[in-house]
Amino acid sequence: MRTHISTTPFGRRPMTLGMISSQVTARAVPKDVTVHKWHVFQDIKDARIALGATDRALAILDALLSFHPDTALYGDSELIVWPSNEQLIRRANGMPPTTLRRHLAVLVECGLIIRRDSPNGKRFARKGQGGEIEQAYGFDISPIVARAEEFKDLAEAVRSEKKAFRLVKERLTICRRDIVKMIDAGIEEGVPANWGRVQQAYQAIVGQIPRTAPRQTLEAIAEELEGLWAEVREALESFIKTQKVDANESRNGRHIQNSKPESKFESESGLGNEEEAGANVADTDNVRSLPKRELPLGIVLDACPNMLWLVKGGSGIRNWREFLAAAEVARPAMGVSPSAWEEARTAMGEQQAAITVAAIYQRQDQINSAGGYLRSLTDRAKAGKFSVWPMVMALLRAKLDASKTTGTGAESAAVDLETAGKVVRTESRLEISDALRRSLDRPGRGS
């Protein structure tokens, strides 16, 4: 008595060593072994790449397992199923017959099933008088039981590798984020370091990360990044410790240095005696006495000639628009962060912020941290205690003094300084502080 005759055509199928190996393994399965077929199937799904199985092939295996009525598979039980191609196609969510045959062959090659062909190549089961199956021809799923431990080990290895890969990706993400934040903090807080070199080192390491890479490659890159992370962290922590020591010494009257020093720009008189140093404080407190008129572009360029180096082609700066463009180039060159620049533009106005950046760029060799100093000036501008006038006039006065020493350009520098001074003095509606007037009328200004 036959049941469930398939329409699979009879024909010769090649025998491979893989098939023979699967058959040997299936015959060697212990009789007392019991497995949960869907647990084993999950292990096979996780280890499918290692096994060489395809997603379509696993969809067919899922369908084949569903034709066995029991969830628990025993080593001593009959483990052959004989569905027709039409039944398999329906349970495998539909696929062309040629695709079905191709992926059935994949399952056989991977050793996940064994073909038990009848003499005519059809799939069927022969039952006895009591209704028990005496002989079945179709697909033997005994490898699911025989290789259950192997599938489990493979799946565990794949899961461990996926976890390790995920962890190294997380290491890279966290390390990259922390380094960028620490570099920004170092620049903004005025930590003395070669931040340009640090940024270049960071970009060089990050540039090694390919779009797709094995875990070992990512781990090597992560180790490099963590080394850079440690260097940046050490620089910041050392600076914090130094600041604490300086703060303690300052309370004892032995202040050593300030990480954000007051620039000579605020008043050249700050370089003189104690009376003139007091005048510097008075100038800061009387910013409202300075003229509201904008500085002429020519005077600013005479005070900050280094800005001309930033113009492509050496064509010079002809208007404020080109001056602002040059300031945009000077900012990153000095390590000033975008946030510090944006804050300065908001507090001072775009043109005044650009003049401030130009003045800092002119004397950047005398400033420990351009970004930190710009933030300090921004805070003062917010409080109404900052103007670009003293910075530019201090630069003009320094240019005049240098010209006297070298004997060249003294007349031009004196004219520029005199012009700026006249603007201040002719603002009749303003009250000019005595300290600022003493600074402008200092002997030798126009000589």
Side-chain angles (χ1 to χ4, degrees):
M1 178 179 180
R2 295 181 181 178
T3 62
H4 217 292
I5 300 176
S6 84
T7 58
T8 304
F10 174 76
R12 288 180 173 272
R13 294 188 179 91
M15 181 66 71
T16 66
L17 291 178
M19 296 178 187
I20 296 174
S21 176
S22 299
Q23 293 174 5
V24 172
T25 302
R27 285 196 295 268
V29 60
K31 302 301 181 182
D32 58 346
V33 173
T34 304
V35 301
H36 191 298
K37 67 180 180 182
W38 299 121
H39 292 174
V40 179
F41 180 68
Q42 183 60 50
D43 290 337
I44 293 172
K45 285 175 64 179
D46 291 342
R48 67 185 181 279
I49 296 177
L51 292 170
T54 62
D55 291 337
R56 284 286 189 92
L58 292 185
I60 296 171
L61 178 61
D62 186 7
L64 285 173
L65 291 176
S66 71
F67 282 103
H68 195 284
D70 299 327
T71 299
L73 303 181
Y74 303 93
D76 59 351
S77 61
E78 183 64 44
L79 299 175
I80 297 178
V81 294
W82 54 93
S84 66
N85 284 353
E86 290 77 8
Q87 290 174 315
L88 271 177
I89 289 172
R90 282 198 299 270
R91 291 203 187 182
N93 299 322
M95 63 179 65
T98 54
T99 304
L100 174 68
R101 288 193 290 271
R102 184 169 67 252
H103 290 289
L104 279 171
V106 171
L107 291 175
V108 174
E109 287 292 334
C110 293
L112 297 174
I113 61 173
I114 300 172
R115 290 184 184 274
R116 302 294 186 188
D117 290 336
S118 66
N120 63 0
K122 296 182 180 295
R123 297 193 288 272
F124 63 89
R126 182 180 292 114
K127 293 184 178 181
Q129 291 183 351
E132 296 181 356
I133 296 176
E134 293 181 348
Q135 186 70 41
Y137 298 99
F139 298 107
D140 187 348
I141 59 174
S142 58
I144 300 298
V145 179
R147 301 178 63 188
E149 286 299 319
E150 177 191 348
F151 296 147
K152 183 177 180 180
D153 292 341
L154 280 174
E156 287 296 333
V158 170
R159 292 173 193 136
S160 297
E161 180 64 22
K162 283 185 176 180
K163 181 179 179 181
F165 189 84
R166 184 179 69 253
L167 290 176
V168 72
K169 291 281 285 185
E170 290 175 357
R171 282 172 59 195
L172 281 171
T173 300
I174 293 172
C175 199
R176 291 175 66 176
R177 181 187 64 200
D178 287 353
I179 290 176
V180 170
K181 286 184 176 180
M182 288 192 295
I183 290 175
D184 287 344
I187 293 174
E188 293 176 5
E189 295 298 329
V191 178
N194 190 344
W195 295 113
R197 183 197 63 80
V198 174
Q199 289 175 323
Q200 289 176 357
Y202 169 76
Q203 293 296 338
I205 297 174
V206 172
Q208 300 176 35
I209 302 177
R211 185 178 296 274
T212 57
R215 173 179 55 83
Q216 293 78 4
T217 300
L218 296 181
E219 284 182 343
I221 296 174
E223 289 179 3
E224 285 191 67
L225 271 179
E226 286 169 350
L228 181 62
W229 179 94
E231 290 182 19
V232 177
R233 182 79 177 185
E234 183 180 357
L236 296 179
E237 289 179 350
S238 298
F239 177 74
I240 292 172
K241 292 176 183 178
T242 303
Q243 291 296 94
K244 289 181 178 178
V245 172
D246 289 348
N248 292 334
E249 292 182 347
S250 176
R251 284 195 291 270
N252 295 328
R254 292 182 287 110
H255 181 67
I256 297 176
Q257 68 175 5
N258 183 358
S259 65
K260 296 180 182 178
E262 292 297 328
S263 172
K264 298 176 185 178
F265 302 150
E266 292 305 312
S267 174
E268 191 70 15
S269 61
L271 300 176
N273 54 35
E274 294 181 1
E275 179 183 356
E276 290 173 331
N280 184 36
V281 176
D283 289 345
T284 303
D285 293 336
N286 287 277
V287 169
R288 295 181 180 85
S289 299
L290 291 170
K292 302 300 185 293
R293 184 186 301 176
E294 292 183 355
L295 274 163
L297 177 60
I299 290 180
V300 175
L301 291 177
D302 284 339
C304 310
N306 289 353
M307 292 293 285
L308 299 174
W309 303 345
L310 305 175
V311 180
K312 293 183 179 180
S315 59
I317 297 176
R318 295 162 294 185
N319 50 52
W320 283 111
R321 181 177 57 79
E322 294 179 354
F323 183 81
L324 294 174
E328 290 282 0
V329 177
R331 176 195 62 76
M334 295 187 295
V336 176
S337 67
S339 61
W341 170 235
E342 184 60 32
E343 190 175 352
R345 292 169 64 185
T346 302
M348 304 178 188
E350 191 171 44
Q351 186 169 310
Q352 303 299 308
I355 295 174
T356 304
V357 167
I360 295 174
Y361 186 72
Q362 186 65 29
R363 290 284 186 87
Q364 60 176 317
D365 58 330
Q366 301 177 17
I367 301 174
N368 290 339
S369 170
Y373 184 56
L374 179 60
R375 283 194 179 277
S376 176
L377 297 181
T378 300
D379 291 340
R380 294 170 65 182
K382 291 177 181 178
K385 297 181 178 180
F386 171 74
S387 170
V388 295
W389 279 84
M391 298 181 74
V392 173
M393 295 180 72
L395 287 171
L396 290 173
R397 187 171 294 113
K399 181 179 179 181
L400 175 60
D401 293 342
S403 300
K404 291 178 181 178
T405 303
T406 59
T408 59
E411 183 177 354
S412 174
V415 170
D416 291 334
L417 187 59
E418 178 68 22
T419 301
K422 285 181 178 179
V423 174
V424 175
R425 288 194 294 269
T426 55
E427 292 283 330
S428 59
R429 70 180 185 279
L430 301 171
E431 294 182 2
I432 302 175
S433 67
D434 293 337
L436 181 57
R437 184 176 290 107
R438 285 198 302 271
S439 175
L440 292 174
D441 296 332
R442 192 172 66 174
R445 175 170 47 80
S447 60

